């Protein structure tokens, strides 16, 4: 089949655009990540004198770094529409976020859609696969205090002990409020067959769009972060705000990510932008932590039920193009998540100016010393 001139031009334009985007991403990383590290090195005296102020500044810089990642997708036309409960109502409270996992782009999607949720991003802790420690963003996550978890039965018990120690050491001391984890323990395409076999063996529902979650990390987080006496009320309205001063983990936010035609976006697509503009849909459901059972068996059943509901949500979405309405609603309400291009340009400019400043400073010091 012969390739027309128009098709060749289109392919050429896509390749050129991908190359330019990749070059920009590399340049962005070369200035933004070292600048983040150097700012925090310079601010070490503040960490000793006033740790709260230090971690506040670190959180702001961390949010800006995540916004830069979000901008790569935003400017490629990869936007987000949100459904379900409004999580802004609990953005100042402590919450655990449970997310289904389909591809590397899930993390980028969360980096984007949580940018407009108040202080959430700068006070957030991520649980991610240990392989991310060795990526370009690994040093940032290490400094921020995220937890890298190793998968597999041989590491499971040890990792849960390390997670508990990590939470006790870093979560409250750095004023963290939201903690994000992917309970499935891996990508859908990698775990689906194993999960379905386990479900069949144990007389559990057959799931296609999600896998059965693992209990360990969720149980450790609840045991470590929930206050002995916990208050909570359903999301929305004044009742949420009245509970905002409660101590300890207050909410569980069940988050479901859906891609059109069940075709997830991976990090390569996010960076290179060769896919057509895509709207990713994110559904939230908020549960008071007092309604989450503590006993292992009951918690396992509760967690399974959340992912069975995710299966129903995703089935409905893939059939209709929309999530179903919440209980008590006659029609599902969606909210288009937006980012300010001016703000994104401002933080990108700050990153490149910072990179230039550090370069000039090191050049000056080099000439002074040598």
């Amino acid at each position: 089949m012969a390739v027309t001139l128009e098709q060749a031009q289109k392919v050429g334009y896509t390749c050129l655009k991908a190359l330019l985007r990749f070059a920009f991403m590399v340049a962005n990383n070369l200035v933004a990540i070292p600048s983040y590290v150097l700012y925090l090195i310079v601010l070490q005296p503040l960490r000793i004198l006033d740790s709260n102020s230090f971690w506040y500044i670190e959180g702001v810089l961390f949010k800006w770094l995540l916004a830069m990642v979000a901008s790569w997708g935003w400017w490629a036309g990869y936007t987000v529409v949100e459904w379900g409960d409004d999580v802004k109502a609990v953005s100042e409270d402590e919450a655990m976020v449970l997310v289904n996992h389909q591809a590397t782009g899930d993390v980028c999607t969360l980096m984007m859609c949580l940018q407009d949720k108040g202080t959430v991003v700068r006070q957030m802790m991520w649980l991610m696969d240990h392989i991310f420690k060795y990526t370009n963003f690994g040093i940032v996550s290490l400094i921020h205090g995220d937890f890298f978890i190793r998968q597999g039965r041989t590491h499971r018990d040890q990792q849960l002990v390390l997670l508990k120690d990590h939470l006790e050491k870093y979560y409250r001391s750095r004023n963290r409020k939201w903690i994000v984890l992917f309970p499935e323990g891996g990508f859908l395409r990698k775990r689906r067959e194993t999960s379905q076999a386990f479900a069949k063996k144990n007389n559990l529902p057959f799931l296609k769009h999600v896998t059965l979650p693992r209990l360990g990390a969720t149980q450790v987080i609840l045991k470590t972060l929930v206050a002995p006496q916990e208050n909570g009320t359903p999301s929305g309205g004044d009742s949420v705000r009245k509970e905002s001063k409660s101590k300890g983990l207050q909410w569980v936010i069940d988050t479901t990510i859906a891609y059109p035609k069940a075709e997830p976006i991976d990090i390569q697509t996010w960076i290179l932008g060769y896919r057509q503009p895509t709207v990713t849909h994110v559904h939230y459901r908020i549960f008071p932590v007092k309604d989450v059972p503590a006993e292992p068996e009951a918690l396992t059943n509760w967690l399974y039920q959340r992912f069975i509901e995710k299966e129903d949500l995703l089935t409905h979405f893939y059939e209709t193009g929309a999530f179903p309405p919440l209980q008590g609603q006659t029609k599902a309400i969606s909210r288009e998540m937006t980012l300010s291009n001016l703000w994104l340009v401002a933080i990108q400019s700050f990153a490149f100016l910072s990179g230039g400043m550090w370069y000039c400073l090191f050049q000056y010091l080099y000439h002074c010393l040598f």
Side-chain angles (χ1 to χ4, degrees):
M1 180 178 172
V3 178
T4 65
L5 178 61
E6 183 179 354
Q7 290 173 325
Q9 289 175 335
K10 185 175 181 180
V11 171
Y13 171 74
T14 301
C15 292
L16 177 62
K17 183 177 70 171
L19 182 62
L20 292 174
R21 283 176 58 87
F22 181 74
F24 175 79
M25 184 276 294
V26 171
N28 196 184
N29 275 266
L30 287 176
V31 295
I33 293 177
S35 293
Y36 166 88
V37 175
L38 290 168
Y39 277 126
L40 296 182
I41 291 174
V42 170
L43 289 172
Q44 285 303 303
L46 178 63
R47 183 178 181 179
I48 298 172
L49 297 172
D50 185 355
S51 63
N52 287 336
S53 295
F54 174 85
W55 290 113
Y56 175 86
I57 295 171
E58 185 278 332
V60 171
L61 295 175
F62 183 79
K63 179 177 180 178
W64 289 355
L65 283 176
L66 267 59
M68 292 177 203
V69 176
S71 72
W72 306 340
W74 181 258
W75 288 332
Y78 304 148
T79 57
V80 172
V81 167
E82 298 176 309
W83 304 75
D85 292 328
D86 185 2
V87 296
K88 287 183 180 179
V90 298
S91 62
E92 298 302 316
D93 299 339
E94 290 189 25
M96 176 174 63
V97 184
L98 307 175
V99 193
N100 62 312
H101 209 9
Q102 300 172 73
T104 48
D106 297 341
V107 175
C108 300
T109 296
L110 291 173
M111 288 180 178
M112 176 186 287
C113 65
L114 296 178
Q115 283 291 325
D116 67 344
K117 307 299 187 295
T119 62
V120 164
V121 174
R122 68 177 177 84
Q123 294 181 292
M124 175 184 292
M125 179 181 285
W126 296 76
L127 264 66
M128 59 188 77
D129 192 280
H130 78 287
I131 196 67
F132 284 99
K133 185 188 296 186
Y134 308 105
T135 66
N136 59 323
F137 210 76
I139 183 64
V140 174
S141 290
L142 281 170
I143 294 173
H144 184 69
D146 296 329
F147 183 76
F148 300 94
I149 191 165
R150 295 181 67 91
Q151 304 294 342
R153 292 182 180 179
T154 56
H155 305 289
R156 193 167 299 162
D157 292 340
Q158 180 192 29
Q159 290 299 297
L160 295 179
V161 173
L162 292 174
L163 173 59
K164 184 178 185 297
D165 293 341
H166 185 89
L167 293 173
E168 291 175 343
K169 186 175 182 180
Y170 297 117
Y171 189 82
R172 296 261 156 67
S173 66
R174 299 185 181 185
N175 196 27
R176 300 296 175 241
K177 288 191 174 181
W178 281 29
I179 183 165
V180 181
L181 68 154
F182 301 90
E184 291 166 294
F187 298 138
L188 173 64
R189 68 179 186 276
K190 293 183 177 181
R191 290 210 60 244
R192 179 160 40 198
E193 186 176 341
T194 303
S195 175
Q196 289 173 347
F198 178 83
K200 184 178 181 180
K201 182 179 179 180
N202 292 275
N203 197 29
L204 294 168
F206 183 86
L207 306 177
K208 295 191 300 181
H209 306 305
V210 295
T211 66
L212 290 169
R214 292 169 176 170
L215 176 67
T218 304
Q219 186 177 30
V220 169
I221 291 168
L222 291 172
K223 281 188 174 182
T224 308
L225 301 182
V226 173
Q229 291 183 341
E230 186 60 56
N231 296 316
T233 52
S235 63
D238 293 337
S239 59
V240 170
R241 296 180 181 86
K242 290 178 182 178
E243 295 298 333
S244 62
K245 295 183 180 180
S246 299
K247 294 181 179 180
L249 198 70
Q250 296 167 254
W251 312 99
V252 175
I253 303 175
D254 188 26
T255 303
T256 304
I257 299 176
Y259 299 94
K261 300 180 181 178
E263 297 175 353
I265 298 176
D266 55 27
I267 188 65
Q268 297 93 326
T269 306
W270 195 270
I271 292 171
L272 300 177
Y274 51 78
R275 183 167 167 176
Q276 291 297 311
T278 302
V279 178
T280 301
H281 297 258
V282 180
H283 183 279
Y284 305 105
R285 190 177 176 197
I286 305 175
F287 295 88
V289 79
K290 69 179 181 64
D291 293 342
V292 181
E295 293 301 318
E297 185 176 349
L299 178 58
T300 299
N301 292 333
W302 185 89
L303 196 57
Y304 280 177
Q305 189 58 41
R306 299 289 73 76
F307 276 76
I308 292 169
E309 289 176 1
K310 285 180 184 292
E311 176 77 12
D312 295 337
L313 286 171
L314 290 169
T315 298
H316 189 281
F317 177 84
Y318 294 139
E319 290 175 352
T320 65
F323 283 111
L326 294 173
Q327 188 174 4
Q329 293 181 347
T330 57
K331 182 180 179 181
I333 300 173
S334 63
R335 304 173 295 276
E336 186 175 350
M337 185 266 162
T338 60
L339 291 175
S340 167
N341 286 317
L342 180 61
W343 177 62
L344 293 176
V345 169
I347 60 173
Q348 293 283 7
S349 300
F350 175 78
F352 282 100
L353 288 172
S354 295
M357 178 193 72
W358 291 115
Y359 176 78
C360 292
L361 179 61
F362 282 117
Q363 284 286 94
Y364 174 76
L365 292 174
Y366 178 79
H367 288 299
C368 287
L369 294 173
F370 302 102

